[in-house]
């Protein structure tokens, strides 16, 4: 079975060249030249060396918010990561505030979708943008973010991706984001 644990290691090695690191909100991450992505427990730490600038981990998990009809639309429209044309990518680690986590599940869902239309907005960008969401909160390692979001796309679709980010970042959901770093990548 494929492991649900993914490690993202910023340093001098890896298949992705880091083209920019920009703090959207809160503290940034140190500069790194390359990103190495490792799936599973295995030898993730082999990638760690004195050249490692940051090491972030997250696990894929069950859906929290999607309804059945939304899920069906997503499955019908979404593309997998790793298409040959998807030579550009973004890793966007996100932390949400204590106020977000103090809400109940139904309050969060109402804010996430009924008010902020996260899924409705995102859906318009499928299948051009492929994505994978990793959760960090329940890991034993004390992680600095709550989520690691990863997206890949063809270079020509990067402006489209940026338009989606503008829309998402102007929602009330994003007023609960207290740390966000936008890391852009290019396949080596
Ligand atoms: C969660 C869809 C783009 C950040 C979700 C969920 C869906 C979704 C369905 C809920 C998963 C669940 O039920 O647990 C999409 C689609 C996108 C997109 C279709 C279009 C490509 C983005 C972007 C970002 C982002 C660009 C970040 C910059 C997140 C985060 C969560 C999330 C942080 C977790 C929210 C939470 O649990 O509080 N997304 N999304 N998404 N998405 Fe997106």
């Amino acid at each position: 079975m494929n492991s649900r644990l993914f490690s993202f290691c910023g340093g001098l090695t890896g298949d992705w060249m880091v083209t920019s690191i920009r703090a959207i909100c809160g503290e940034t991450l140190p500069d790194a030249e390359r990103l190495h992505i490792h799936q599973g427990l295995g030898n993730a730490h082999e990638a760690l060396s004195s050249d490692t600038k940051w090491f972030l981990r997250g696990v894929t998990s069950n859906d929290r918010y999607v309804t059945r009809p939304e899920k069906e639309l997503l499955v019908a429209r979404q593309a997998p990561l790793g298409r040959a044309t998807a030579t550009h990518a973004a890793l966007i680690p996100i932390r949400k505030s204590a106020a977000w986590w103090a809400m109940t599940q139904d309050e969060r869902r109402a804010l996430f979708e009924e008010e902020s239309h996260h899924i409705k907005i995102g859906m318009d960008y499928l299948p051009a943008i492929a994505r994978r969401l990793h959760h960090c909160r329940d890991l034993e390692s004390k992680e600095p973010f709550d989520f690691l979001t990863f997206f890949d796309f063809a270079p020509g679709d990067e402006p489209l991706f940026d338009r989606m980010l503008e829309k998402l970042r102007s929602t009330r959901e994003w007023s609960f984001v207290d740390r966000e770093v936008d890391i852009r990548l290019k396949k080596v």
Side-chain angles (χ1 to χ4, degrees):
M1 197 185 95
N2 273 347
S3 171
R4 296 194 291 113
L5 177 69
F6 288 82
S7 308
F8 296 83
C9 186
L12 290 181
T13 58
D15 291 343
W16 292 98
M17 183 197 298
V18 177
T19 54
S20 66
I21 298 185
R22 193 163 67 96
I24 305 299
C25 175
E27 200 190 329
T28 192
L29 285 167
D31 278 338
E33 285 175 31
R34 297 284 189 92
L35 171 72
H36 173 71
I37 305 176
H38 180 85
Q39 184 175 10
L41 274 174
N43 54 1
H45 285 85
E46 274 178 20
L48 286 177
S49 71
S50 55
D51 300 320
T52 301
K53 303 288 194 248
W54 37 265
F55 185 66
L56 305 170
R57 272 163 293 183
V59 286
T60 56
S61 187
N62 57 286
D63 293 325
R64 268 63 164 170
Y65 301 117
V66 278
T67 61
R68 173 56 53 193
E70 286 163 353
K71 175 118 186 161
E72 274 161 19
L73 267 180
L74 284 165
V75 169
R77 284 200 203 167
Q78 69 200 5
L81 289 174
R83 293 160 294 175
T85 49
T87 55
H88 282 210
L91 169 65
I92 306 185
I94 286 178
R95 190 181 66 203
K96 282 183 171 174
S97 65
W100 174 264
W101 295 109
M103 283 189 285
T104 61
Q105 186 68 16
D106 56 326
E107 289 167 334
R108 281 195 295 266
R109 156 72 202 191
L111 223 147
F112 174 84
E113 192 55 28
E114 277 67 38
E115 187 170 347
S116 303
H117 309 297
H118 184 124
I119 301 172
K120 199 161 174 278
I121 292 171
M123 200 84 83
D124 283 345
Y125 299 86
L126 306 181
I129 313 296
R131 71 193 171 95
R132 190 168 60 224
L133 175 65
H134 312 80
H135 295 255
C136 319
R137 275 173 76 78
D138 297 331
L139 293 179
E140 270 181 38
S141 50
K142 200 104 188 74
E143 292 297 319
F145 296 94
D146 294 331
F147 306 99
L148 305 176
T149 64
F150 185 82
F151 309 89
D152 74 11
F153 38 82
D157 287 328
E158 195 142 7
L160 200 71
F161 182 66
D162 285 325
R163 281 206 291 282
M164 169 174 50
L165 282 175
E166 231 176 87
K167 286 191 193 167
L168 286 172
R169 286 175 181 150
S170 68
T171 62
R172 197 151 94 83
E173 183 199 352
W174 246 257
S175 69
F176 292 89
V177 171
D178 70 7
R179 190 175 178 199
E180 178 177 8
V181 184
D182 189 326
I183 303 165
R184 296 301 169 100
L185 307 155
K186 203 174 148 182
K187 197 119 210 185
V188 179

